[in-house]
């Protein structure tokens, strides 16, 4: 399990969030069968999502999703995190690989390629606030710092690192985000810049000195003061970080309702059932013909067959948004007052 630390430095003028995520990234690598460079890309994005969740989310039920789309062989990736340290993610092409950089490091920028970064902050009400910026380098840390400045007006330094062993297993992974508060004195900024300029990279520090040691080097002369998280319900004074997906067998079965009854019957006849794979975590759910045939209480468009309504097992209902179907027909639902999004 990974961990997240929070604190202040520079006499309160710097807000600091740091994460150690080696176990988290290794689970993602194992679940998705990632190549070394794909592991580094997804590991950096997941770690970055955990850091930004601490900086940007206001309530426990909010979620932050990072989407990086590029023209490189990776195809793109998604990472989703909350403020409780839960994170999940996946890439489009798990086995994508490119040659190492001239300095011998994994070439995340090339495997991702030019493109864009979008960050979505999902509220409990269903509202989503989004910001999109072009990728600066594709190395992800620099791209996240650019996003924080362009979309959130937060001047920040972001460091991310993932190191894999020769066979592909994750050796160490983590990240640090330093947010500059308004009115920070010039001497604080100069000291931070000097410390950053003197770093050879984050992963060597994490390997040699652990997370606390890395913060000592990064924030030397700036008086880092760790936030006491025990008052927030974390007895170890750190937030556990873990790979945790929100999928379930119930949700996987509900996904089959988006197939027509005829298509579901074909699954039964041809395959003897159905198999649903979660993109986020790679979990496989298999369903018998009897389970599939329980999905009968649904309402579809008489013209195009689009799904309009179906009852969920928790007593709520899914219903189409808006008053018109995709084919233009007016949506007419029975018992509309009971339907919930």
């Amino acid at each position: 399990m990974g961990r997240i630390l929070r604190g202040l430095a520079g006499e309160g003028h710097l807000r600091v969030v740091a994460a150690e995520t080696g176990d988290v990234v290794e689970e993602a690598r194992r679940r998705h069968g990632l190549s070394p460079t794909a592991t580094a890309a997804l590991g950096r994005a997941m770690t970055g999502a955990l850091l930004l969740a601490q900086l940007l989310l206001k309530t426990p039920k909010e979620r932050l999703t990072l989407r990086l789309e590029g023209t490189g062989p990776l195809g793109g990736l998604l990472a989703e995190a909350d403020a409780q340290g839960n994170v999940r993610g996946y890439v489009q092409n798990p086995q994508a690989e490119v040659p190492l950089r001239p300095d011998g490091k994994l070439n995340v920028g090339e495997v991702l390629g030019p493109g864009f970064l979008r960050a979505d902050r999902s509220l409990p009400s269903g509202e989503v606030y989004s910001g999109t910026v072009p990728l600066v380098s594709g190395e992800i840390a620099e791209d996240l710092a650019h996003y924080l400045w362009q979309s959130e007006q937060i001047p920040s330094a972001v460091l991310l690192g993932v190191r894999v062993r020769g066979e592909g297993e994750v050796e160490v992974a983590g990240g640090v985000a330093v947010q500059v508060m308004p009115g920070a004195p010039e001497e604080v900024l100069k000291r931070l810049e000097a410390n950053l300029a003197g770093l050879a990279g984050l992963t060597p520090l994490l390997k040699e000195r652990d997370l606390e040691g890395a913060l000592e080097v990064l924030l030397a002369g700036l008086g880092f003061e760790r936030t006491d998280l025990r008052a927030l319900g974390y007895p170890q004074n750190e937030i556990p970080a873990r790979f945790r997906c929100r999928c379930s067998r119930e949700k996987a079965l509900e996904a089959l309702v988006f197939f027509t009854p005829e298509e579901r019957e074909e699954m039964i006849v041809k395959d003897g059932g159905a198999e649903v794979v979660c993109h986020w975590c790679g979990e496989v759910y298999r369903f018998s013909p009897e389970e599939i045939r329980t999905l009968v209480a649904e309402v579809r468009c008489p013209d195009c067959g689009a799904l309009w309504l179906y009852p969920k097992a928790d007593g709520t209902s899914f219903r189409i948004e808006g008053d018109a179907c995709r084919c233009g027909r007016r949506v007419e639902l029975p018992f509309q007052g009971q339907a919930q999004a």
Side-chain angles (χ1 to χ4, degrees), residues 146-217:
H146 179 64
Y147 164 77
L148 287 171
W149 173 243
Q150 293 292 323
S151 293
E152 304 289 338
Q153 289 76 55
I154 302 175
S156 307
V158 180
L159 294 85
L160 300 169
V162 176
R163 176 181 288 184
V164 301
R165 299 186 179 92
E167 59 271 27
E169 293 182 357
V170 176
E171 184 176 16
V172 65
V176 180
V178 182
Q179 176 186 350
V180 179
M181 307 300 287
E186 187 69 21
E187 57 267 25
V188 169
L189 299 180
K190 287 184 177 180
R191 184 57 191 259
L192 176 62
E193 291 172 358
N195 290 352
L196 290 170
L199 290 181
L202 181 63
T203 49
L205 284 177
L206 291 173
K207 179 174 172 56
E208 297 166 10
R209 302 174 61 102
D210 73 23
L211 190 58
E212 287 83 355
L215 287 173
E216 287 181 14
V217 175

Side-chain angles (χ1 to χ4, degrees), residues 58-296:
K58 308 300 183 185
T59 68
K61 293 186 177 181
E62 294 182 28
R63 297 190 308 276
L64 179 83
T65 303
L66 299 179
R67 179 189 300 271
L68 289 91
E69 295 284 353
T71 57
L74 190 68
L77 62 83
L78 276 85
E80 179 194 83
D82 61 27
Q84 285 70 54
N86 300 308
V87 65
R88 61 179 183 167
Y90 69 94
V91 302
Q92 290 185 14
N93 299 311
Q95 284 299 306
E97 192 55 277
V98 294
L100 298 175
R101 293 180 352 190
D103 60 5
K105 295 182 179 180
L106 297 170
N107 200 338
V108 173
E110 184 175 336
V111 81
L112 187 57
F116 67 88
L117 161 68
R118 191 179 86 191
D120 295 333
R121 185 161 65 94
S122 303
L123 306 185
S125 64
E127 293 180 273
V128 178
Y129 292 92
S130 299
T132 303
V133 296
L135 292 175
V136 175
S137 66
E139 294 290 333
I140 301 180
E142 186 179 357
D143 301 301
L144 292 181
H146 179 64
Y147 164 77
L148 287 171
W149 173 243
Q150 293 292 323
S151 293
E152 304 289 338
Q153 289 76 55
I154 302 175
S156 307
V158 180
L159 294 85
L160 300 169
V162 176
R163 176 181 288 184
V164 301
R165 299 186 179 92
E167 59 271 27
E169 293 182 357
V170 176
E171 184 176 16
V172 65
V176 180
V178 182
Q179 176 186 350
V180 179
M181 307 300 287
E186 187 69 21
E187 57 267 25
V188 169
L189 299 180
K190 287 184 177 180
R191 184 57 191 259
L192 176 62
E193 291 172 358
N195 290 352
L196 290 170
L199 290 181
L202 181 63
T203 49
L205 284 177
L206 291 173
K207 179 174 172 56
E208 297 166 10
R209 302 174 61 102
D210 73 23
L211 190 58
E212 287 83 355
L215 287 173
E216 287 181 14
V217 175
L218 174 61
L219 300 171
L222 291 168
F224 177 63
E225 297 180 6
R226 186 167 166 180
T227 300
D228 188 351
L229 298 171
R230 289 170 292 193
L232 300 178
Y234 299 104
Q236 302 301 317
N237 200 24
E238 57 191 29
I239 300 171
R242 61 184 72 81
F243 188 107
R244 176 172 290 178
C245 191
R246 295 187 292 110
C247 72
S248 66
R249 185 172 180 81
E250 177 186 275
K251 290 180 180 178
L253 180 60
E254 288 176 353
L256 295 177
V257 80
F258 291 94
F259 293 89
T260 66
E262 292 76 19
E263 290 171 330
R264 295 199 297 267
E265 191 61 31
E266 186 176 355
M267 296 175 190
I268 293 172
V269 173
K270 285 189 173 182
D271 304 319
E275 181 177 280
V276 177
V277 181
C278 176
H279 288 297
W280 286 102
C281 68
E283 193 72 26
V284 179
Y285 298 94
R286 296 179 176 84
F287 299 100
S288 66
E290 292 74 23
E291 290 174 299
I292 298 173
R293 286 182 174 132
T294 63
L295 301 171
V296 294

